Amino acid sequence: QAVSARSYAVTSMGHHSAYHFDLCNTTDCQVYYGVNSVGANTTLATELTAGQFAWYDGEIIQAFYHSSDGGATENVENVWTTVLPYLRGVIDPYEALVEDQIPGYHWTKTYTGKELQTRMVNNGYTSCAEVADLQVTRTTPTGNVYSITVTDINGKSFTISKYSVRTVLGITSLRFTISGGNGSSSSGGDYSLAGGGTMENMAGAWVIGGDGTLSQVETDNVYAITGSGLEQVSAQTGMGTGSSGGSFVISGTGNGHNLGMSQWGAYAMALEGYTYEEILKFYYTGIEIHT
């Protein structure tokens, strides 16, 4: 941790120069809890590694680190944008050895379609209606989520990728699965017909009224009498699918951006007898450690 933090600090000088200081103590600068968190071990680690940095190709690296990776770290370009050769995703078998000690290692978020709509709108997707479908549409070779697709009840789809996935869904890592919902993904938000096939919208369809009158539908605002009473017919509930909607459950592991060193993984490796150099070289690809 001493080498990683030192390397990160040196390469991040000027990060907040617009405000006349270099680094802050928030997640924007990897978090710093202040001198009250300093102990004998942190002081000793700092002294024993004094002047040492992590290097790649003659330059000190941006040594990003995070609390826990949930099972694998990630290539930096799959989370942010710039490709850095030493920030490569690796499968991490060590965290599992101490997962019972990691606060919030396994986590779950549950949303209704309306709640997801609110999150979408609040994050700039202002045209998103109530969400009918939520799917992981691409994962990385290490098994982290690269992109998701959100489909609303009007059949409009939105693809969200990389770090924005965490922001929109309000989750702690990019290592997760999605379950639940109403199972409408195969129709892409279309209306499924009892006799087979789909319709993109209700406008132009024909209905038979209670008095036997045949009428053409002029709008998507269509209601039907069901066993539960009067309900609006939508691409979310479908026509003839038997789907009743439901919550979306997002279940994952880990806490952080999954880049560079996992602090809990490093702890687990240390318990297994690995040296600090071996730990750093596991999480940062192709680096050297020296002054």
Side-chain angles (χ1 to χ4, degrees):
Q1 180 63 64
V3 175
S4 290
R6 185 183 295 120
S7 301
Y8 173 80
V10 167
T11 56
S12 300
M13 298 300 284
H15 182 64
H16 288 296
S17 59
Y19 302 100
H20 308 293
F21 58 86
D22 292 304
L23 299 169
C24 66
N25 64 350
T26 72
T27 54
D28 191 48
C29 296
Q30 296 284 181
V31 181
Y32 175 61
Y33 292 125
V35 294
N36 288 335
S37 296
V38 173
N41 284 341
T42 54
T43 299
L44 183 61
T46 302
E47 292 173 349
L48 292 178
T49 63
Q52 293 186 19
F53 298 90
W55 298 77
Y56 184 92
D57 197 23
E59 296 183 354
I60 299 173
I61 71 169
Q62 289 185 285
F64 293 106
Y65 46 90
H66 54 282
S67 178
S68 58
D69 56 43
T73 63
E74 192 50 66
N75 293 351
V76 64
E77 68 272 17
N78 290 337
V79 180
W80 295 332
T81 52
T82 304
V83 178
L84 296 172
Y86 48 83
L87 291 180
R88 302 291 88 194
V90 296
I91 301 296
D92 183 355
Y94 302 104
E95 281 188 357
L97 302 177
V98 296
E99 65 176 79
D100 58 336
Q101 301 179 50
I102 306 176
Y105 185 71
H106 294 276
W107 51 265
T108 300
K109 284 274 191 178
T110 302
Y111 294 112
T112 64
K114 280 289 189 183
E115 289 171 334
L116 282 173
Q117 177 191 10
T118 298
R119 293 203 64 87
M120 290 286 286
V121 170
N122 289 343
N123 282 280
Y125 299 91
T126 55
S127 64
C128 183
E130 181 177 348
V131 173
D133 189 44
L134 175 65
Q135 289 190 20
V136 172
T137 46
R138 178 180 169 187
T139 57
T140 69
T142 56
N144 297 313
V145 173
Y146 181 89
S147 65
I148 60 172
T149 296
V150 178
T151 305
D152 67 17
I153 60 174
N154 297 323
K156 187 172 184 178
S157 294
F158 307 83
T159 297
I160 303 165
S161 60
K162 302 186 180 184
Y163 195 82
S164 295
V165 172
R166 283 184 62 192
T167 303
V168 171
L169 295 182
I171 55 179
T172 59
S173 82
L174 289 171
R175 196 166 185 83
F176 63 88
T177 58
I178 300 172
S179 60
N182 53 56
S184 63
S185 59
S186 63
S187 63
D190 292 342
Y191 296 87
S192 298
L193 306 178
T198 61
M199 296 175 60
E200 291 185 1
N201 56 67
M202 290 295 294
W206 292 81
V207 295
I208 300 176
D211 60 356
T213 303
L214 188 65
S215 303
Q216 187 172 23
V217 178
E218 301 294 342
T219 174
D220 262 353
N221 295 322
V222 179
Y223 291 82
I225 298 175
T226 71
S228 302
L230 190 64
E231 294 185 13
Q232 184 174 10
V233 177
S234 70
Q236 181 181 21
T237 57
M239 285 289 286
T241 63
S243 177
S244 59
S247 297
F248 299 90
V249 181
I250 308 168
S251 302
T253 51
N255 184 4
H257 48 50
N258 289 71
L259 301 177
M261 186 184 72
S262 160
Q263 292 171 308
W264 278 103
Y267 170 74
M269 290 185 71
L271 293 180
E272 292 296 300
Y274 290 95
T275 68
Y276 76 98
E277 290 185 334
E278 290 172 327
I279 295 170
L280 290 167
K281 289 180 179 180
F282 173 74
Y283 286 109
Y284 303 110
T285 303
I287 64 164
E288 298 176 349
I289 312 295
H290 57 78
T291 57

